């Protein structure tokens, strides 16, 4: 009745997972208890869990990403500690089986459940506001997208309590991931959690592309859109093009494991190398899915805090589109050593070098924007400047890896680990922290504490360099990645430096938590009553902080780039004489209910509980059909209520 699920699936004989599970379960129960005691369930259900407001959904995406960052970093510091301790005759504290699960979970969580939710969350919150529209194209589908992503995150965390996770690395390469070598449920947790969340991400990409192409404010032509909208469009188009490849690849892997097919088993007529090609045909565009929106964030931050228009706007847009296209021509540089031959390697090496050119264009545009500008070195600007220095180093090492002979030397060493974290931490995470500090007052109506923000930046910057620069050196010395035990004592000093860097990064995370706590405690002193705390340039600053459900009482008329800046210069930020009622989408529980059945389906598929899987699938289909036949999907906000809110806001006046 319960398939492969037995009491043996609970890690009673493994103290670390068991204690961690107990702590997490007690923490969740404590939170649920507090919510119940305070009577917050009706508020949470109405305002958050069933909300289809793009702003609320964007905030929930970001919250999910930050929570998963804690889980992913816990794995990272456990790995660093193990490598710092297990040198020579010492064996450390993590057995090989557990260590393999940790590094596999770390990569999977950081890419799919930290970086992706942060990116999609920022796009969800900001893009409709910058476009001057009232919501995304498909509000209910937006809710479904988020809750499917949350379902995948829940499934991957369940592997901590019930069963185990994959021991294959975050790329899940065959033949190690095939049934013969991974007969337990670890790979199944990987496949099902990423299938569920991947569908949610694909739906989010479709929603974002439709919104940007079809729902812009009057007068907002393509070349009047803010750069963040362009980078979000490019990333979303890459999601639509790339994620179906990953979904199909995982379907084939599931068929290999569940019904004995041989897509990726060499001895059955398949090809393990085909999996690697398909994975990286998704995987390298995925890098740009992550970094392009971060590029948009830097463009907005640097222009705003330099007090001038972005230098080379059109070249920035064209560079974004060039990266979007070229990202599908470089995937093979991830496995130059496969033996494809000199001609193939030369082509992909050249393309991997060429794709660095548009990024270089962006770096110069940001520098020229700051040149002779009135730069205010706030926390978002510090993260942006730190990004430019750090990302250039990561880009140069990427160009180095694009040279096949060099790649042959450092392939599968910690040099690659250093490069990858160089661009993901220095590019994506720095961008998301800049965005978090920049748009937080728009989301919640008060600014974040700048002192704690600066402290978090310096901890992240210093911690990153200490944690990963030694790995470049160790990679040149030949240290393989994913080592549970370090046989060469000469590597130990640099590993201790890397451990120190991880500890300093942890201090940076603590500073982010302290910043939020202090900011909430002192929110009345830092309240944003104007909606425009930074003297912004784009339309999200033209509405209240936090924005009302309808975003804009009157659709803005866009007459040029930096629409809100021009409105302020012309003195056009005034209250109209009359307002009209506005229809906004009704709340819908469809996303939350769909997530429940998605978790049921995924968990049942992992443990081969087929009756539960069928019920979960049928229930999800029925829920979708019920929504499809529903009629009352919108509600009206009266004109009098809109007039009261808008006149109260405009009476305070935006900053000029």
């Amino acid at each position: 009745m319960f398939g492969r699920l037995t009491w043996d699936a609970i890690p009673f004989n493994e103290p670390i997972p068991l204690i961690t599970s107990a702590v997490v379960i007690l923490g969740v129960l404590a939170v649920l208890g507090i919510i119940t005691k305070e009577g917050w369930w009706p508020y949470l259900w109405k305002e958050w869990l069933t909300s289809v407001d793009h702003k609320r959904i964007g905030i929930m995406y970001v919250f999910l990403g930050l929570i998963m960052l804690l889980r992913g970093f816990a794995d990272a510091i456990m790995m660093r500690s193990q490598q710092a301790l297990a040198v020579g005759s010492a064996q450390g504290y993590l057995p090989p089986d557990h260590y393999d699960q940790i590094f596999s979970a770390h990569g999977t969580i950081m890419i799919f459940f930290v970086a992706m939710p942060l990116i999609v969350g920022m796009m969800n919150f900001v893009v409709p506001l910058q476009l001057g529209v009232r919501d995304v194209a498909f509000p209910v589908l937006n809710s479904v997208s988020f809750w499917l992503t949350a379902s995948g995150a829940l499934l991957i965390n369940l592997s901590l309590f019930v069963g185990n996770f994959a021991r294959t690395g975050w790329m899940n390469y065959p033949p190690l991931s095939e049934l013969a070598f991974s007969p337990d449920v670890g790979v199944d947790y990987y496949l099902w959690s990423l299938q569920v969340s991947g569908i949610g991400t694909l739906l989010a990409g479709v929603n974002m592309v439709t919104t940007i192409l079809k729902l812009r404010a009057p007068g907002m032509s393509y070349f009047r859109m803010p750069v963040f909208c362009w980078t979000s469009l490019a990333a979303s188009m890459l999601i639509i093009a790339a994620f179906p490849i990953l979904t199909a690849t995982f379907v084939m892997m599931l068929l290999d494991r569940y019904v004995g097919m041989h897509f990726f088993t060499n001895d059955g007529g398949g090809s393990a190398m085909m999996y690697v090609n398909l994975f990286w045909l998704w995987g390298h565009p995925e890098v740009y899915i992550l970094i392009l929106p971060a590029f948009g964030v830097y463009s907005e931050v640097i222009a705003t805090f330099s007090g001038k228009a972005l230098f080379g706007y059109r070249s920035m847009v064209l560079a974004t589109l060039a990266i979007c296209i070229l990202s599908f021509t470089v995937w093979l540089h991830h496995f130059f050593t496969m033996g494809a031959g000199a001609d193939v390697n030369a082509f992909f090496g050249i393309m991997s070098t060429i794709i660095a050119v548009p990024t270089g264009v962006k770096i110069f545009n940001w520098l020229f924007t700051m040149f002779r500008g009135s730069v205010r070195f706030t926390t978002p600007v510090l993260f942006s400047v730190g990004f430019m220095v750090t990302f250039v180093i990561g880009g140069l090492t990427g160009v180095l890896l694009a040279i096949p002979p060099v790649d042959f030397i450092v392939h599968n060493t910690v040099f690659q680990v250093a490069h990858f974290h160089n661009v993901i931490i220095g590019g994506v995470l720095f961008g998301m922290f800049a965005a978090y500090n920049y748009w937080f007052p728009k989301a919640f109506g008060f600014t974040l504490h700048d002192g704690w923000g600066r402290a978090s930046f310096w901890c992240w910057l210093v911690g990153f360099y200490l944690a990963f620069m030694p790995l470049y050196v160790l990679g040149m010395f030949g240290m393989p990645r994913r080592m549970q035990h370090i046989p060469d004592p000469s590597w130990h000093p640099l590993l201790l430096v890397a451990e120190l860097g991880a500890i300093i990064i942890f201090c940076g995370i603590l500073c982010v938590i302290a910043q939020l706590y202090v900011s909430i405690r002192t929110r009345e002193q830092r309240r944003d009553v104007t909606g425009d705390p930074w003297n912004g340039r784009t339309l999200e600053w033209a509405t209240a902080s936090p924005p009302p459900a309808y975003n804009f009482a009157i659709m803005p008329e866009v007459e040029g780039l930096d629409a809100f800046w021009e409105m302020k210069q012309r003195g056009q930020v005034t209250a109209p004489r009359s307002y009209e009622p506005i229809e906004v989408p009704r709340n819908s529980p469809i996303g939350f209910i769909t997530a429940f059945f998605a978790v049921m389906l995924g968990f049942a598929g992992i443990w081969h509980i087929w009756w539960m899987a069928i019920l979960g699938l049928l229930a999800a289909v029925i829920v979708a059909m019920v929504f499809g036949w529903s009629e009352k999907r919108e509600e009206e906000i009266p004109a009098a209520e809109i007039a009261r809110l808008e006149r109260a806001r405009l009476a305070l006046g935006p900053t000029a």
Side-chain angles (χ1 to χ4, degrees):
M1 182 176 181
F2 293 104
R4 303 166 68 186
L5 184 59
T6 65
W7 284 109
D8 293 336
I10 309 296
F12 291 115
N13 60 339
E14 299 181 38
I16 294 177
L18 189 63
I19 294 171
T20 305
S21 302
V23 170
V24 172
I25 291 171
L26 290 174
V28 170
L29 290 176
V31 171
L32 296 178
I34 293 171
I35 293 173
T36 303
K37 180 181 177 182
E38 299 294 333
W40 291 340
W41 285 114
Y43 167 77
L44 288 174
W45 179 258
K46 180 181 179 181
E47 298 295 331
W48 294 95
L49 301 182
T50 63
S51 177
V52 297
D53 186 334
H54 73 94
K55 300 178 291 295
R56 297 290 175 94
I57 292 172
I59 291 169
M60 289 192 290
Y61 264 116
V62 173
F63 180 75
L64 173 66
L66 292 175
I67 291 297
M68 294 301 288
L69 175 63
L70 295 176
R71 164 70 204 277
F73 181 78
D75 290 337
I77 203 162
M78 289 175 71
M79 287 188 291
R80 281 281 160 263
S81 300
Q82 170 67 19
Q83 290 188 330
L85 294 172
V87 180
S89 60
Q91 298 302 312
Y93 68 102
L94 289 175
D97 181 80
H98 191 190
Y99 181 82
D100 292 350
Q101 292 181 58
I102 286 174
F103 74 66
S104 301
H106 169 73
T108 306
I109 287 170
M110 285 299 198
I111 294 296
F112 292 97
F113 299 111
V114 176
M116 285 303 298
L118 291 176
I119 291 294
V120 177
M122 291 298 176
M123 293 194 299
N124 252 288
F125 183 87
V126 176
V127 167
L129 291 170
Q130 286 196 335
L131 293 176
V133 298
R134 294 196 170 113
D135 212 317
V136 293
F138 310 112
V140 176
L141 188 67
N142 202 23
S143 174
V144 172
S145 299
F146 165 73
W147 285 109
L148 286 177
T149 302
S151 299
L154 178 58
L155 282 173
I156 203 170
N157 280 300
L158 282 176
S159 68
L160 185 66
F161 314 125
V162 186
N164 59 283
F165 194 64
R167 296 179 291 272
T168 56
W170 78 275
M171 295 165 287
N172 201 47
Y173 281 171
L176 186 57
S177 55
E178 292 284 354
L179 199 60
F181 299 99
S182 296
D184 52 41
V185 296
V187 173
D188 301 322
Y189 266 114
Y190 174 94
L191 293 171
W192 281 99
S193 62
L194 297 192
Q195 285 291 56
V196 171
S197 65
I199 292 171
T201 302
L202 178 60
L203 295 177
V206 171
N207 210 343
M208 196 57 59
V209 168
T210 308
T211 300
I212 296 171
L213 296 183
K214 294 296 184 181
L215 296 184
R216 300 186 304 280
M220 183 171 283
S221 62
Y222 288 128
F223 280 98
R224 289 178 178 175
M225 291 196 309
V227 171
F228 184 74
C229 293
W230 272 109
T231 57
S232 298
L233 175 62
S236 300
M237 289 191 297
L238 286 175
I239 287 173
I240 295 172
F243 264 82
I245 300 172
L246 187 70
T247 299
T249 305
F250 286 168
V251 166
M252 288 186 278
M253 177 66 75
L254 283 167
L255 290 172
D256 275 10
R257 290 180 58 84
Y258 280 68
V259 296
M261 291 191 177
H262 301 286
F263 289 104
F264 306 124
T265 51
N266 291 335
D267 56 352
S271 170
M273 210 55 234
M274 183 54 65
Y275 177 95
V276 182
N277 272 282
L278 290 171
F279 184 90
W280 285 112
L281 190 54
W282 161 84
H284 205 84
E286 165 68 6
V287 174
Y288 295 103
I289 290 170
L290 298 178
I291 197 62
L292 284 175
F295 287 167
V297 170
Y298 299 126
S299 299
E300 304 297 335
V301 166
I302 289 172
T304 297
F305 290 105
S306 297
K308 54 188 288 195
L310 184 69
F311 180 88
Y313 168 83
R314 286 180 177 263
S315 65
M316 187 73 81
V317 171
L318 294 175
T320 298
L321 297 178
I323 290 172
C324 191
I325 295 169
L326 291 172
S327 66
F328 279 99
T329 66
V330 298
W331 82 87
L332 197 131
H333 72 219
H334 289 273
F335 43 99
F336 277 144
T337 57
M338 68 176 280
D343 293 340
V344 172
N345 285 357
F347 172 81
F348 283 94
I350 292 168
M351 297 308 297
S352 300
T353 304
I354 290 174
I355 201 171
V357 175
T359 303
V361 170
K362 291 174 178 287
I363 295 289
F364 282 110
N365 283 353
W366 293 318
L367 291 174
F368 281 123
T369 302
M370 298 177 72
F371 181 64
R372 291 185 176 176
S374 301
V375 182
R376 293 171 283 162
F377 284 97
T378 59
T379 300
V381 174
L382 289 178
F383 274 110
S384 301
V385 174
F387 147 76
M388 282 191 277
V389 175
T390 305
F391 195 80
V392 165
I393 296 172
L396 290 173
T397 58
V399 171
L400 194 63
L401 287 169
I403 303 171
V406 176
D407 187 84
F408 272 59
I409 296 171
V410 297
H411 183 73
N412 217 29
T413 69
V414 290
F415 188 99
Q416 288 184 310
V417 175
H419 162 70
F420 188 74
H421 287 79
N422 205 153
V423 295
I424 295 299
I425 293 179
V428 179
L429 271 183
F430 278 21
M432 291 305 100
F433 283 128
Y436 171 74
N437 283 271
Y438 181 58
W439 281 307
F440 187 94
K442 177 53 58 180
F444 295 102
F446 60 94
T447 58
L448 287 168
H449 191 282
D450 196 56
W452 279 109
R454 291 169 181 268
S456 70
F457 162 72
W458 286 112
C459 286
W460 272 96
L461 186 72
V462 173
F464 164 77
Y465 278 94
L466 289 176
F468 293 102
M469 291 300 123
L471 300 192
Y472 281 123
V473 179
L474 289 170
M476 295 300 290
F477 287 168
M479 176 180 165
R481 57 182 176 178
R482 301 170 181 157
M483 294 190 72
Q484 181 266 347
H485 178 263
I486 308 302
D488 189 341
S490 68
W491 298 341
H492 193 216
L494 289 176
L495 289 172
L496 290 176
V497 175
E499 169 76 353
L500 175 62
I503 294 171
I504 295 175
I505 289 175
F506 179 62
C507 293
I509 294 175
L510 293 179
C511 287
V512 172
I513 296 171
Q515 179 193 34
L516 182 60
Y517 174 78
V518 171
S519 300
I520 292 173
R521 289 291 300 270
T522 60
R523 61 187 179 277
E524 293 303 326
Q525 304 169 21
R526 55 187 74 256
R527 183 74 64 184
D528 170 32
V529 296
T530 66
D532 184 22
W534 311 126
N535 195 16
R537 310 184 69 85
T538 45
L539 286 177
E540 74 267 32
W541 307 110
T543 187
S545 297
Y550 50 82
N551 287 353
F552 298 93
I554 303 295
M555 297 295 285
E557 294 281 344
V558 176
E559 298 180 8
L561 190 62
D562 291 342
F564 185 50
W565 178 265
E566 293 195 4
M567 289 178 186
K568 289 188 291 186
Q569 299 306 306
R570 293 194 297 264
Q572 293 180 343
V573 186
T574 57
R577 294 183 178 180
S578 62
Y579 295 90
E580 295 181 356
I582 297 173
E583 288 187 339
V584 296
R586 287 179 179 269
N587 286 0
S588 172
I590 299 299
F592 188 82
I593 296 172
T594 302
F596 176 83
F597 292 120
V599 172
M600 179 190 293
L601 172 62
F603 187 79
I606 290 163
W607 290 99
H608 295 196
I609 310 173
W610 300 121
W611 61 268
M612 185 188 292
I614 294 169
L615 283 179
L617 181 60
L618 288 176
V621 171
I622 291 170
V623 167
M625 293 176 66
V626 168
F627 172 74
W629 267 281
S630 64
E631 295 181 356
K632 294 183 179 180
R633 301 183 185 180
E634 295 182 333
E635 58 187 9
E636 185 178 274
I637 301 177
E641 176 67 11
I642 296 170
R644 183 185 67 80
L645 294 172
E646 291 298 308
R647 285 168 183 158
R649 177 180 69 85
L650 289 172
L652 298 169
T655 57

